[in-house]
Amino acid sequence: GVTNLFGQESIYIVEKLSSKYKGREKTAFKEAVHRISTSTTIHLIDWEHGKSAYELSGLKRISTTFYEAKPEKGIFELLDGFYPRNLTGFLRSVDTVNQTQDMGFIYAMLCKHARKLILASDDALDLKTAPWQRGKLRSQASLWKSENLNSCYEGLSRIDISMKTRSTSYDLRA
């Protein structure tokens, strides 16, 4: 735990509390967590990777606030608009998403998406890809000529290399 400057309050950060704090039976663990959560001098922060606030509703007895951090819907709409003959709409989406997301994040997601489109066009998607996502990627990949999609991905890769080797004076916003 971390104590504030004057030692009056403590902060404890835990992970996956929901996996241990479930069911209706009372346990010593649950009682201890409940005592900590009702204390005014202890703050408990639980990190739940990949779970929505709805899935964590069982923790409402010990929590007064839920913060859910996830990518905004805009980034996914941007990726859906990544196809030829949509330059104006795509650039407008980039500008909108860039107001709330870092350009590096947008660029990384775009590279990953372009790679998935290439795999979809070659029918080489990972078997773990959900059927609805597989269909969506195939549909979007069909909007591209194979050589144009590959050329676009190569361009994104060249940008990545030049940024990492500092062989350009531009940043991602330029």
Side-chain angles (χ1 to χ4, degrees):
V2 178
T3 306
N4 74 359
L5 182 63
F6 302 106
Q8 297 166 336
E9 295 181 0
S10 298
I11 298 173
Y12 291 91
I13 301 173
V14 296
E15 187 175 7
K16 299 180 183 175
L17 182 63
S18 67
S19 64
K20 298 173 190 84
Y21 194 97
K22 57 184 174 182
R24 293 190 178 265
E25 68 278 351
K26 290 187 177 185
T27 64
F29 174 77
K30 282 185 175 181
E31 289 177 18
V33 170
H34 186 64
R35 273 195 311 275
I36 290 170
S37 71
T38 56
S39 171
T40 58
T41 60
I42 299 174
H43 300 279
L44 182 64
I45 298 172
D46 177 35
W47 176 260
E48 297 283 345
H49 182 72
K51 291 194 175 185
S52 69
Y54 176 77
E55 293 174 289
L56 300 174
S57 61
L59 297 178
K60 284 184 179 173
R61 289 185 297 276
I62 60 169
S63 178
T64 55
T65 308
F66 285 94
Y67 293 105
E68 191 171 0
K70 60 183 177 180
E72 295 204 12
K73 189 176 179 182
I75 187 71
F76 300 110
E77 290 171 353
L78 173 107
L79 297 176
D80 289 344
F82 180 61
Y83 58 88
R85 297 175 303 280
N86 187 33
L87 182 61
T88 305
F90 179 74
L91 291 177
R92 201 174 306 122
S93 291
V94 168
D95 191 42
T96 302
V97 173
N98 192 31
Q99 292 174 8
T100 58
Q101 299 290 329
D102 178 61
M103 195 60 171
F105 172 73
I106 295 169
Y107 175 76
M109 292 291 285
L110 186 59
C111 289
K112 184 178 178 181
H113 190 67
R115 187 171 42 250
K116 284 184 178 182
L117 290 175
I118 291 170
L119 291 171
S121 67
D122 294 339
D123 201 28
L125 285 167
D126 186 4
L127 295 175
K128 295 177 189 171
T129 306
W132 66 267
Q133 190 179 22
R134 191 179 285 270
K136 194 171 185 176
L137 288 167
R138 283 183 185 146
S139 173
Q140 189 174 3
S142 71
L143 300 172
W144 289 83
K145 290 182 182 174
S146 183
E147 60 272 5
N148 291 354
L149 183 56
N150 288 327
S151 176
C152 180
Y153 184 69
E154 287 172 13
L156 290 170
S157 297
R158 281 194 302 275
I159 292 169
D160 189 39
I161 291 168
S162 67
M163 296 300 289
K164 288 179 179 173
T165 60
R166 303 221 190 267
S167 60
T168 183
S169 58
Y170 298 107
D171 66 1
L172 289 174
R173 286 179 292 281

